[in-house]
Amino acid sequence: MVSRSLCSAGYDSNEKTFDKILIANRGEIACRVIKTCKKMGIKTVAIHSDVDASSVHVKMADEAVCVGPAPTSKSYLNMDAIMEAIKKTRAQAVHPGYGFLSENKEFAKCLAAEDVIFIGPDTHAIQAMGDKIESKLLAKKAKVNTIPGFDGVVKDADEAVRIAREIGYPVMIKASAGGGGKGMRIAWDDEETRDGFRFSSQEAASSFGDDRLLIEKFIDNPRHIEIQVLGDKHGNALWLNERECSIQRRNQKVVEEAPSIFLDSETRRAMGEQAVALAKAVKYSSAGTVEFLVDSKKNFYFLEMNTRLQVEHPVTECITGLDLVQEMIRVAKGYPLRHKQADIPINGWAVECRVYAEDPYKSFGLPSVGRLSQYQEPIHLPGVRVDSGIQPGSDISIYYDPMISKLITYGSDRTEALKRMEDALDNYVIRGVTHNIALLREVIINSRFIEGDINTKFLSDVYPDGFKGHKLTENERNQLLAIASSLFVAFQLRAQHFQEHENSRVPIIQPQVANWQLSVKLHDEVHTVVASNSGPTFSVEVDGSKLNVTSTWNLASPLLSVSVDGTPRTVQCLSREAGGNMSIQFLGTVVLPRATLERFLYVALHYFSCPYPNPNIVYDESLLLKEMAVMKTATLH
């Protein structure tokens, strides 16, 4: 569920805004808005589909109204049902979150007709910035850098080819009303332009009901950097620094951070000032985002403006200390901005990973559906924020976006923020659905990412054959084998302990194992491992290398913190079979070692009146079992 926030924005209880706000959304963003409303003393109304009746956002809100069945067209996009819910609950304002109706000018007009405040920009700004052709013309007029291209609507494939030749290949063909990477194609020659025009127009028509296309120069290997802006109804506007959003798959963001490691103060200021110029040109009054493409020489070009709260807004909150939802509510009520541009800081560094119920081994993430059988957020760690709208038992369904949460870490600098993200990903327990933790962890520890050598093609460049999971070094492999072997023995010892209690009426020998000789299979390779334990520490020899593995060995916990020769690791034992098969999440990636017992030596600690065994003799397994059988038979008779 929604965890503690890392932003430090205060609230003036004497500043009156609204008595009741309806949140026209679901999931984590609905929870996020409700959280700020509670802080401000505002009652909240949740809407939900029938399958979302038990969702976290419904439980958090003061009131809840069902607006239809599961399909979004019949519930979260059902304007008639939502307007009825507003009238029924007498909500004074509506926060749309992101997605769904957040950039729908018709919805904003319906609210205005009923004297209900839309917590967002006015309809003029939504319409102007929602149309890529109109927004580009407005950007040019406001002296914002734009990508060279054709400013009008492309009529047909022949005209598309003519325009592409004039601009110069490669070109980007994209839907005028598009977003989220839909209706976009890159063309490198005439044939690809014809195909791209056909496919993009079809996708645009089906996704947005608008098949208009535009063509512009394609900036190869760019960074995607956006500027957060905030405007009020009094003509004031601020830029709240940038967010680096270059790590993407299928034109959708995966990892974001603030600030950008690439920008210098001069470029940052120039981008911020142009973003504010555009916001003022459309009289923008809310939180919004101006997106830019930035080339290797720090030339930047306007891409689009999102007239809503962005998914990745938490990283901006972390480095500025502002609560953007609170600012949106204040502006919607008519208050002027409380801050000047000089007041906006960059304090520390923040990173956000979008945790999805997706299989990262298939095209960097294909949706996975299912029920969360176990779920535990890493909010016990310092500098961690989790924005989510789920709990154990929640369903990830086919009807909605498969996002599980937004995992945010904050540190005094980028190194600390990334280290905290690495630890947070290792400590995140998600069972019941496939997730993308492995991919996220690999991205943030990749040398190119750490050095800041990134662009929007990062994933395809680093993983040209697709994502394969973490590739173990020899040292990491030995650590894993030592941990897996220690786990196997720990489970065996626990089973023996339970067996002794179950058979407490029958006196049996309580032996101490001197050595466990195991055969561990990992990635089709078999390794010989010898393990022995002394208290919480296992001494393990793996293929001739000796390692010490120390832990509390709380086998009931989903997380196991271990130290391997002083190196801390957090692992998750996802499953274990009696035959020795184990599923372990190690360094983010799930591995499947199999441990089998080859031979073990016992030293008997004590015995009963029976002369077996001799405590001064070391027995092998077969002899000891025979002696134990004799003892048991003698006792029963």
Side-chain angles (χ1 to χ4, degrees), residues 608-626:
F608 299 94
S609 57
C610 177
Y612 300 97
N614 186 331
N616 298 315
I617 300 176
V618 175
Y619 290 86
D620 69 19
E621 176 187 0
S622 59
L623 180 56
L624 183 62
L625 290 175
K626 288 179 182 178

Side-chain angles (χ1 to χ4, degrees), residues 477-483 485 527-530 540-547:
R477 183 204 65 190
N478 288 344
Q479 287 184 3
L480 172 59
L481 290 169
I483 293 170
S485 301
H527 304 268
T528 299
V529 178
V530 179
V540 185
E541 185 175 325
V542 180
D543 295 339
S545 298
K546 294 182 179 180
L547 302 94

Side-chain angles (χ1 to χ4, degrees), residues 40 148 263 400 475-476:
M40 298 177 71
L263 294 190
Y400 312 117
N475 183 50
E476 291 170 344

Side-chain angles (χ1 to χ4, degrees), residues 593-613:
R594 174 178 175 148
T596 54
L597 188 59
E598 294 293 318
R599 184 170 178 268
F600 53 89
L601 299 176
Y602 279 111
V603 177
L605 293 179
H606 66 272
Y607 56 92
F608 299 94
S609 57
C610 177
Y612 300 97

Side-chain angles (χ1 to χ4, degrees), residues 11-216:
Y11 171 65
D12 182 359
S13 59
N14 295 318
E15 191 176 74
K16 302 301 180 185
T17 54
F18 304 102
D19 297 322
K20 186 185 291 185
I21 291 176
L22 181 143
I23 297 94
N25 218 299
R26 66 179 298 279
E28 65 86 12
I29 189 57
C31 294
R32 166 70 188 87
V33 174
I34 292 171
K35 183 180 180 184
T36 289
C37 288
K38 286 183 180 294
K39 179 181 71 174
M40 298 177 71
I42 302 170
K43 292 186 180 298
T44 55
V45 180
I47 62 169
H48 64 89
S49 65
D50 52 9
V51 298
D52 272 347
S54 298
S55 293
V56 175
H57 77 282
V58 173
K59 296 176 181 178
M60 286 182 67
D62 297 294
E63 300 174 59
V65 180
C66 182
V67 290
T72 56
S73 61
K74 298 180 179 180
S75 52
Y76 296 104
L77 292 175
N78 186 344
M79 281 194 277
D80 291 339
I82 295 172
M83 292 304 298
E84 189 61 35
I86 294 167
K87 293 175 184 177
K88 178 181 178 181
T89 59
R90 298 182 180 181
Q92 299 166 311
V94 172
H95 196 299
Y98 56 75
F100 293 139
L101 296 173
S102 63
E103 295 178 282
N104 189 305
K105 62 181 183 296
E106 297 304 323
F107 181 55
K109 288 178 180 177
C110 287
L111 294 175
E114 297 294 331
D115 291 325
V116 177
I117 302 297
F118 178 74
I119 302 176
D122 62 27
T123 55
H124 165 69
I126 295 175
Q127 180 173 342
M129 292 297 100
D131 187 299
K132 285 185 170 56
I133 294 174
E134 185 177 353
S135 66
K136 187 173 181 180
L137 292 172
L138 284 168
K140 277 188 173 183
K141 189 175 180 180
K143 300 189 182 327
V144 176
N145 299 348
T146 57
I147 301 172
F150 181 66
D151 295 332
V153 177
V154 183
K155 296 177 182 178
D156 52 38
D158 289 337
E159 185 176 39
V161 169
R162 179 181 60 78
I163 293 169
R165 288 175 178 173
E166 290 175 358
I167 296 171
Y169 287 110
V171 296
M172 170 72 81
I173 304 168
K174 59 184 180 181
S176 175
K182 295 179 180 179
M184 296 175 63
R185 294 290 188 282
I186 300 167
W188 294 81
D189 54 37
D190 292 354
E191 183 180 355
E192 290 185 0
T193 299
R194 292 183 186 280
D195 290 341
F197 180 89
R198 184 173 71 256
F199 290 130
S200 290
S201 59
Q202 291 171 354
E203 189 172 19
S206 63
S207 298
F208 314 113
D210 184 345
D211 64 356
R212 293 177 302 147
L213 301 177
L214 68 152
I215 297 180
E216 59 190 21

